Amino acid sequence: MMFSLKPQYLRREIRFWFLSRPRHFVIDRSRFVRILALIVAATLSSACVVSNFRGDGKLVDYGPFAARHRYVLDLGPVDLGRTGKYTYTMSNLPSVDFVIGLEIVEAQANQFTGNQPAHSGSIRLLLETSNHEIVISEDGPLESWIWSFAKGNFESFLYRTGKEHWITNKDGTTSPVPDGTRTDEGWGTYFLPRPDITYRLTLEVLEAQALPRPTRLLVTGGGWK
């Protein structure tokens, strides 16, 4: 059976399903599953290249249903097995918080238990505007970068946060406050781009890995969570 994935049809289907139910009702399981299938299919099919983006790589928009990483800019593979520099430019990025990091394909699937995969080597990330304003400047061994992953996946994402301190609110709760933010909210490898600004990103491999794994440089941001 073929389902239309146009947003207006999806909204109509969901609205009809809820409005057609009596106040106390038994869920029509087959129809409910059909609606969930529509939502999932619409989410998966909503990915598209952002046409007004300018620069290296392709910026993909996974749509408003994406919980995290709505926008993904894949800048391509990098070789951590040899020292050297990579440079990129980007402009017309959406005005959402982005984070720059390395996606590394591990030899084994990631698990919540056990030791972190060995990520030897050292890199430097520098992001600056066309006016030479520094937005991000981070360097150090990859072992000191934050390791993010999903259980069972082979991909790890390595990035950095900046320094922060905690304050106590009037209601007794505590909240983090970032320290040392740079131009365009640069903090660790996070930043909030301005659409009319051209950015220059430099990745430098300072110390090569002895056993490098397949690695790509990604810039990701957005999502409703």
Side-chain angles (χ1 to χ4, degrees):
M1 180 179 295
M2 296 295 294
F3 299 132
S4 171
L5 300 180
K6 293 183 178 179
Q8 61 266 34
Y9 295 134
L10 177 59
R11 290 193 295 269
R12 185 188 66 184
E13 184 73 22
I14 294 173
R15 188 184 305 114
F16 175 80
W17 186 83
F18 280 105
L19 293 180
S20 63
R21 302 297 93 190
R23 185 172 182 180
H24 301 288
F25 64 92
V26 177
I27 293 177
D28 183 338
R29 185 169 183 173
S30 63
R31 191 173 181 83
F32 184 69
V33 170
R34 179 172 180 264
I35 291 172
L36 287 180
L38 280 168
I39 294 173
V40 172
T43 302
L44 294 176
S45 66
S46 62
C48 62
V49 175
V50 179
S51 59
N52 64 340
F53 168 77
R54 296 292 180 269
D56 295 300
K58 288 185 177 180
L59 179 64
V60 176
D61 179 2
Y62 287 93
F65 288 106
R68 295 187 177 90
H69 311 302
R70 170 176 176 173
Y71 301 100
V72 177
L73 174 59
D74 187 342
L75 293 172
V78 294
D79 185 0
L80 298 182
R82 62 178 65 186
T83 58
K85 283 186 180 182
Y86 300 82
T87 58
Y88 314 86
T89 61
M90 60 192 82
S91 62
N92 290 348
L93 288 167
S95 296
V96 300
D97 288 316
F98 278 90
V99 60
I100 305 172
L102 295 175
E103 182 184 75
I104 299 178
V105 180
E106 309 292 359
Q108 298 179 338
N110 286 308
Q111 302 295 328
F112 290 134
T113 58
N115 296 327
Q116 176 178 340
H119 296 128
S120 61
S122 181
I123 68 168
R124 173 184 292 123
L125 272 179
L126 175 65
L127 181 68
E128 53 187 340
T129 69
S130 55
N131 295 326
H132 304 293
E133 300 168 298
I134 295 179
V135 180
I136 291 172
S137 181
E138 293 289 327
D139 64 84
L142 285 173
E143 292 178 343
S144 68
W145 291 53
I146 295 176
W147 171 43
S148 176
F149 65 95
K151 182 179 180 181
N153 284 3
F154 282 82
E155 295 83 12
S156 296
F157 187 68
L158 274 62
Y159 67 100
R160 266 193 170 178
T161 59
K163 295 181 179 180
E164 62 185 10
H165 67 276
W166 290 76
I167 61 172
T168 301
N169 303 312
K170 292 181 179 180
D171 60 0
T173 60
T174 58
S175 303
V177 177
D179 295 327
T181 55
R182 301 178 183 269
T183 299
D184 295 335
E185 305 299 320
W187 183 73
T189 59
Y190 284 87
F191 73 110
L192 178 61
R194 287 171 283 168
D196 56 339
I197 295 294
T198 297
Y199 296 91
R200 177 184 175 90
L201 174 63
T202 302
L203 166 65
E204 183 176 4
V205 181
L206 302 173
E207 180 183 336
Q209 292 184 337
L211 298 171
R213 301 292 306 165
T215 303
R216 306 184 74 84
L217 182 60
L218 303 182
V219 184
T220 74
W224 56 264
K225 277 192 177 180

